[in-house]
Amino acid sequence: ASQVVKAMIKKNITINGAQVLVLGVTFKENCPDVRNTNIVDVVAALKDYGIKVTIYDPWAKPEEVLHEYGLECHSTLTSALKYDAVVLGVAHNEFLNLDLKLSLKDNAVVYDVKGILQHADAKL
């Protein structure tokens, strides 16, 4: 999380109140299991900075994420909100051709933990 915040600071993005999209909350890619996932630690760290986090995961059951971690998870991505940063935490196949341009502000930070977006058709 600190690397994301540092990258945001370098782009002069105000941290407190920033909107960050976290892609994936499951334990591993293309799997609905949210037990023992490390992504919740990243989300907690981002929230400690005063960042507003939106979690999008088409594999996770929102009610299970809420029950296990007290976090709201979305199974669909709305284009109504523009994000200051996106963190790809789980390499779901659905993220490979996601058009992130629709969801990101002009100078947004993209932090690809899994290193899959540059090898995919994802539009940044």
Side-chain angles (χ1 to χ4, degrees), residues 22-88:
V22 173
L23 298 175
V25 73
T26 61
F27 177 69
K28 65 180 186 174
E29 63 276 354
N30 307 319
C31 168
D33 193 355
V34 296
R35 294 172 296 166
N36 302 316
T37 180
N38 294 326
I39 303 303
V40 294
D41 297 331
V42 174
V43 171
L46 290 171
K47 286 185 173 189
D48 281 347
Y49 284 102
I51 293 172
K52 296 175 183 172
V53 178
T54 299
I55 302 169
Y56 165 55
D57 194 316
W59 282 84
K61 293 186 176 97
E63 60 277 5
E64 191 175 338
V65 176
L66 185 62
H67 178 263
E68 291 288 326
Y69 303 107
L71 296 172
E72 186 177 354
C73 176
H74 302 276
S75 56
T76 57
L77 185 59
T78 175
S79 60
L81 193 58
K82 298 285 186 186
Y83 298 96
D84 296 294
V86 61
V87 176
L88 184 130

Side-chain angles (χ1 to χ4, degrees), residues 108-119:
V109 169
V110 176
Y111 192 74
D112 184 358
V113 177
K114 299 297 181 179
I116 65 162
L117 294 179
Q118 71 265 20
H119 303 296

